[in-house]
Amino acid sequence: QVQLVESGGGLVQPGESLRLSCVASGNIFNGYAMAWYRQDPGKQRELIATITADGLTYYAVSVEGRFTISRDNTGNTGVLQMNSLKPEDTSVYYCNRVLHPLTWGQGTQVTVSS
């Protein structure tokens, strides 16, 4: 069974940066758009950044200009660079394919607080 593992979260102060990584146990992103999502307790998972198989990127308004999504050519790794973090970015972050999503990983907690 393919696994998704997110890492890189932590506790930071407003204005600081974090770099999240997503590693899949297989080349499951090849030919697929991949995305980063975040979810707060009791709320729906929110799509915040997408990168297509061709490298086109799309961002939610709430993160545009601060977050950058990227992927490598192996098909099993993605990165979310998060700059100028705000308290409202506090959440659990997940990665997955946009279409035909796989079983969700555990996510990585990001906490932005002074």
Side-chain angles (χ1 to χ4, degrees):
Q1 183 177 358
V2 177
Q3 289 185 313
L4 293 167
V5 179
E6 302 90 353
S7 64
L11 171 62
V12 296
Q13 294 189 344
E16 294 186 338
S17 299
L18 281 173
R19 182 179 174 89
L20 305 185
S21 294
C22 168
V23 178
S25 56
N27 298 335
I28 57 97
F29 294 127
N30 277 339
Y32 288 90
M34 69 158 293
W36 284 91
Y37 304 77
R38 64 188 181 191
Q39 185 173 26
D40 296 332
K43 295 187 178 180
Q44 284 194 328
R45 194 170 280 129
E46 174 191 9
L47 174 64
I48 60 169
T50 302
I51 184 166
T52 69
D54 296 330
L56 298 176
T57 57
Y58 303 90
Y59 299 93
V61 171
S62 58
V63 306
E64 190 161 18
R66 301 186 298 121
F67 290 11
T68 302
I69 186 173
S70 61
R71 59 191 292 169
D72 71 359
N73 293 324
T74 65
N76 71 340
T77 303
V79 170
L80 184 68
Q81 177 67 42
M82 306 189 298
N83 298 329
S84 302
L85 283 162
K86 303 176 180 180
E88 51 263 43
D89 295 319
T90 295
S91 190
V92 181
Y93 286 72
Y94 303 85
C95 64
N96 212 325
R97 295 194 306 208
V98 176
L99 293 178
H100 308 296
L102 304 170
T103 301
W104 293 91
Q106 294 298 308
T108 185
Q109 175 71 49
V110 172
T111 303
V112 185
S113 176
S114 55

